[in-house]
Amino acid sequence: MRMLSTKATCNSHGQDSSYFLGWEAYEKNPFDEASNPKGIIQMGLAENQLSFDLLESWLTKNPDAASFKRDGQSIFRELALFQDYHGLPAFKKALVEFMAEIRGNKVTFEANNIVLTAGATSANETLMFCLAEAGDAFLLPTPYYPGFDRDLKWRTGVEIVPIHCTSSNAFQVTQPALEQAYKEAEARNLRVKGVLVTNPSNPLGTTMSRHELDLVFDFITSKGIHLISDEIYSGTVFGSPGFVSAMEVLRERSSEEEEVWKRVHIVYSLSKDLGLPGFRVGAIYSNDDMVVAAATKMSSFGLVSSQTQYLLSAMLSDKKFTRNYITENQRRLKQRQKMLVSGLEKAGINCLDSNAGLFCWVDMRHLLESDTFESELELWKKIVYEVGLNISPGSSCHCSEPGWFRVCFANMSESTLKLAIRRLKSFVAELRSAASPNAQSQLNNDNKFCKNIKKNIFTKWVFRLSVQEANRKLQHER
């Protein structure tokens, strides 16, 4: 008799992706400036640690909120008791106002249309349960966040069909790519229930153009399907063009396409904009009352604590603080992104032009031995185990072109980022030296020497998956 469920024993979670395996490598040998200066630097984690001092300063100036007091009187017992899954009204009001402020108050949100969830992970999965059945499909532009294979598919049974975007137009969504993805789903006998976009994009670090958004809206209108716009990086936009929310486009087009109104849903979180992933605060915004009602019921499986809601309602209601925070945080992100891009350029590595996010989409195609995903994984392993940097290979993001990598810059100190850049610069210089005409000729004429080098490299690559197995899994996921 089977003792465990199929879900418990299946291997569809995505934990074997190189995206997560890089984290494991880092955790076994984490960099520390004092105790482990030669350890692996974590550049595969999209955390915003640049503005903690602003948050800590607010907490110091507002001790009542941090101590769970109201007008000097403790409300600890009130917060400690059971709260229903609708959320605290004061927090929902403060959250929708903060969401509007991030969008330049070009659009407003109704507190009754928001559902609180334990982070964006929970929000996206809940929407899958609300909008699709197991075996239905959502179309996602590539490259996309590796965690979506877990968030959208693992427990829901929903399938992902990629909308293949390429570097030829900076990975922008096109009409032919949308139609091709829809045809692919039909060929697989999958019913397409919607399109999910991340705007700003993870991993590209770019905002969607108005032209792209109009293409997507035209597409979902013609097909009669849903749109989920994951906008958890909306407050990280630090350059032009600015951010245009799906809700802004919807409101401008609503008079013409009223039936689409209920089929557009927003996902938001405070994990990136405020740098609070540990607080587990996410949200679904929908104009469909049935979606809101169903998602609210489902949220009982992943509630946001009353203490967290109380603290953040006080913080987000402080308009002077939020205005200053948004402006200063974006300034710091721009400065840090510029530091990474400039440093990589000096190492001979270019990045996709970006204006948002906590990472850069880095072009290392010229460092590959061959134009294959196998070569990409070989390069990635060298960077992780020899250079000591955990970055995310493009194949883990389902990029259709080998040689692209996501590199995070906001989860470390400035000195650590400079060290990471120096390490990568030295690595590229060594590769160039090894590839010089004389060195290359010597390597080509000495097969034994080549085999010894390869053996030494693979000895350092103590890894769970062989390159062949990793590629097989990646191909299977695609």
Side-chain angles (χ1 to χ4, degrees):
M1 183 177 72
R2 182 188 295 273
M3 300 302 294
L4 297 177
S5 71
T6 302
K7 188 64 66 180
T9 56
C10 75
N11 195 32
S12 60
H13 177 275
Q15 200 72 24
D16 287 338
S17 164
S18 51
Y19 173 74
F20 291 109
L21 293 176
W23 286 14
E24 290 185 12
Y26 162 77
E27 289 167 358
K28 293 175 182 177
N29 183 27
F31 168 82
D32 184 272
E33 189 173 2
S35 63
N36 192 22
K38 293 185 179 180
I40 296 174
I41 296 174
Q42 175 62 289
M43 305 186 83
L45 183 59
E47 284 186 343
N48 181 8
Q49 300 183 22
L50 302 187
S51 299
F52 277 163
D53 60 309
L54 302 180
L55 302 176
E56 291 169 334
S57 176
W58 185 90
L59 291 172
T60 300
K61 295 175 182 177
N62 295 270
D64 272 12
S67 302
F68 306 122
K69 293 181 179 180
R70 184 187 297 126
D71 300 326
Q73 300 297 314
S74 174
I75 58 169
F76 173 79
R77 294 188 181 188
E78 175 186 330
L79 295 174
L81 296 176
F82 175 78
Q83 304 284 344
D84 73 26
Y85 41 63
H86 290 86
L88 300 182
F91 176 60
K92 294 173 75 172
K93 178 177 182 296
L95 182 59
V96 296
E97 290 177 354
F98 183 67
M99 291 169 62
E101 186 174 8
I102 284 174
R103 292 157 177 77
N105 292 307
K106 296 177 182 178
V107 61
T108 58
F109 298 90
E110 298 295 329
N112 290 335
N113 290 14
I114 203 164
V115 180
L116 301 179
T117 63
T121 293
S122 177
N124 278 309
E125 184 187 57
T126 298
L127 276 175
M128 290 297 108
F129 277 122
C130 289
L131 306 180
E133 305 288 349
D136 290 342
F138 264 76
L139 312 181
L140 271 67
T142 63
Y144 62 76
Y145 166 54
F148 280 148
D149 292 323
R150 168 201 64 199
D151 302 351
L152 308 182
K153 296 171 54 177
W154 185 44
R155 297 198 299 185
T156 67
V158 172
E159 296 292 331
I160 293 175
V161 177
I163 302 168
H164 289 294
C165 303
T166 68
S167 61
S168 62
N169 70 339
F171 298 97
Q172 293 188 40
V173 176
T174 64
Q175 180 67 28
L178 285 165
E179 294 293 349
Q180 181 58 40
Y182 196 88
K183 290 179 181 177
E184 180 184 337
E186 288 185 322
R188 293 169 55 184
N189 294 318
L190 298 173
R191 181 173 59 165
V192 177
K193 295 304 294 289
V195 175
L196 188 152
V197 298
T198 54
N199 183 29
S201 169
N202 174 12
L204 299 178
T206 58
T207 50
M208 293 186 72
S209 68
R210 181 56 192 262
H211 174 67
E212 287 179 279
L213 289 167
D214 282 333
L215 280 178
V216 171
F217 268 85
D218 289 341
F219 182 76
I220 66 158
T221 301
S222 65
K223 304 297 185 184
I225 58 179
H226 295 273
L227 170 64
I228 299 175
S229 183
D230 187 328
E231 301 182 358
I232 68 170
Y233 289 96
S234 53
T236 69
V237 181
F238 51 78
S240 59
F243 171 67
V244 180
S245 171
M247 194 57 63
E248 184 178 342
V249 178
L250 179 64
R251 290 185 184 277
E252 290 180 7
R253 298 169 58 123
S254 61
S255 59
E256 302 174 13
E257 299 152 2
E258 189 172 348
E259 86 284 354
V260 182
W261 187 258
K262 293 184 177 182
R263 297 206 307 270
V264 176
H265 320 278
I266 306 292
V267 167
Y268 185 60
S269 167
L270 295 180
S271 296
K272 310 303 180 181
D273 293 348
L274 281 186
L276 300 175
F279 278 43
R280 307 311 304 147
V281 180
I284 295 168
Y285 189 88
S286 176
N287 294 305
D288 188 325
D289 292 340
M290 291 186 67
V291 170
V292 171
T296 300
K297 295 172 187 174
M298 292 181 189
S299 71
S300 61
F301 296 101
L303 297 174
V304 182
S305 76
S306 299
Q307 294 87 346
T308 297
Q309 292 185 57
Y310 176 75
L311 172 61
L312 293 180
S313 65
M315 180 181 287
L316 298 183
S317 295
D318 186 340
K319 302 305 180 186
K320 181 178 180 181
F321 166 77
T322 56
R323 283 194 298 270
N324 176 69
Y325 178 90
I326 292 170
T327 301
E328 178 61 16
N329 183 58
Q330 291 170 345
R331 186 193 69 79
R332 294 181 185 188
L333 287 171
K334 183 176 182 177
Q335 181 183 47
R336 185 61 65 87
Q337 184 258 13
K338 183 178 180 180
M339 182 184 303
L340 175 61
V341 171
S342 176
L344 291 178
E345 285 179 349
K346 292 176 182 177
I349 298 173
N350 293 321
C351 301
L352 183 74
D353 288 339
S354 60
N355 64 325
L358 312 175
F359 32 72
C360 287
W361 190 236
V362 180
D363 185 359
M364 298 191 194
R365 289 176 292 180
H366 60 298
L367 300 181
L368 300 181
E369 291 186 1
S370 62
D371 186 24
T372 63
F373 286 109
E374 180 179 81
S375 183
E376 177 185 278
L377 285 175
E378 290 175 355
L379 176 61
W380 171 68
K381 289 181 179 181
K382 289 181 182 180
I383 294 173
V384 173
Y385 290 101
E386 296 185 358
V387 184
L389 306 176
N390 175 38
I391 62 178
S392 304
S395 53
S396 70
C397 302
H398 299 270
C399 183
S400 59
E401 302 173 15
W404 291 88
F405 294 81
R406 191 191 75 166
V407 180
C408 299
F409 56 74
N411 64 323
M412 67 195 75
S413 67
E414 185 174 314
S415 61
T416 300
L417 179 60
K418 289 180 178 179
L419 172 61
I421 292 171
R422 289 199 299 271
R423 287 184 181 184
L424 196 54
K425 187 175 181 180
S426 297
F427 172 67
V428 174
E430 290 176 5
L431 286 182
R432 286 175 175 169
S433 176
S436 64
N438 292 336
Q440 191 62 52
S441 175
Q442 182 180 354
L443 289 175
N444 290 337
N445 293 329
D446 193 344
N447 291 331
K448 182 178 180 180
F449 181 63
C450 289
K451 290 179 181 179
N452 287 337
I453 288 180
K454 187 174 182 181
K455 181 180 179 181
N456 290 336
I457 290 174
F458 272 92
T459 300
K460 296 178 183 178
W461 293 349
V462 181
F463 210 75
R464 198 191 268 193
L465 297 175
S466 66
V467 170
Q468 292 78 9
E469 185 178 358
N471 275 326
R472 179 181 63 77
K473 289 181 176 292
L474 290 168
Q475 291 296 331
H476 176 71
E477 290 177 0
R478 284 196 294 272

